[in-house]
Amino acid sequence: ANVSNVVPNYGQKGTKVVITGLDLLQGGSSIVEVTFGNVSIPIVESNNTHVSVEHAGDNVVGVPLDVVLVSNTGARVVLTSAWTNVDVPVILSVSPSSGHHRTEVTINGTGLLGGGDYIITATLAGIPVDSVLHGASNETVVVSAGPGTNSSGDGTIVANT
């Protein structure tokens, strides 16, 4: 068995990860456990050439961890130092805190891209934004508010990790 790729090879809780290789089942019928370091990772789907998982999160940040696949036969395949956890993003401010459709909203914080390169989608008070403006960085994301009713609530930012 051979693990050839872990994509992406960094992320945080919620990152969807695809592990590819050859003969990953090692004669078995399923992958029964995936770990990043010592943390068990929920398996979304698996077959002999790929395993899809969603990272459950871990407190160890910045240290390369081994990726281990275990088949139902007990056989293990290891890719050494194949995964690195990144800091969980922190939103420090949202300005303005209210507005209407197409209001330009600036979100400031740390690690907003979550180890990724760009923002896939975002919401304000549960309403999808119209667009991400001016690109995005780990410190600043600027969005155009989407249409919706007068509401308040949490916002989300989803990066390409």
Side-chain angles (χ1 to χ4, degrees), residues 19 35 46 53 64 110 144:
I19 303 160
T35 59
S46 66
V53 298
T110 61
S144 175

Side-chain angles (χ1 to χ4, degrees), residues 34-60:
V34 174
T35 59
F36 291 0
N38 294 322
V39 176
S40 185
I41 306 300
I43 300 166
V44 176
E45 70 172 309
S46 66
N47 64 35
N48 210 27
T49 59
H50 84 274
V51 180
S52 297
V53 298
E54 185 169 327
H55 187 34
D58 189 358
N59 294 330
V60 178

Side-chain angles (χ1 to χ4, degrees), residues 41-119:
I41 306 300
I43 300 166
V44 176
E45 70 172 309
S46 66
N47 64 35
N48 210 27
T49 59
H50 84 274
V51 180
S52 297
V53 298
E54 185 169 327
H55 187 34
D58 189 358
N59 294 330
V60 178
V61 175
V63 177
L65 303 171
D66 295 349
V67 172
V68 180
L69 307 178
V70 181
S71 79
N72 64 317
T73 65
R76 299 165 48 95
V77 60
V78 179
L79 187 59
T80 305
S81 299
W83 173 263
T84 303
N85 292 306
V86 298
D87 285 321
V88 174
V90 175
I91 294 176
L92 300 173
S93 66
V94 177
S95 179
S97 60
S98 63
H100 52 81
H101 186 214
R102 295 193 181 99
T103 297
E104 191 171 297
V105 178
T106 301
I107 303 163
N108 290 306
T110 61
L112 297 178
L113 295 177
D117 300 316
Y118 57 91
I119 301 299

Side-chain angles (χ1 to χ4, degrees), residues 17-29:
V17 182
V18 177
I19 303 160
T20 57
L22 299 173
D23 194 28
L24 298 178
L25 298 177
Q26 299 183 75
S29 59

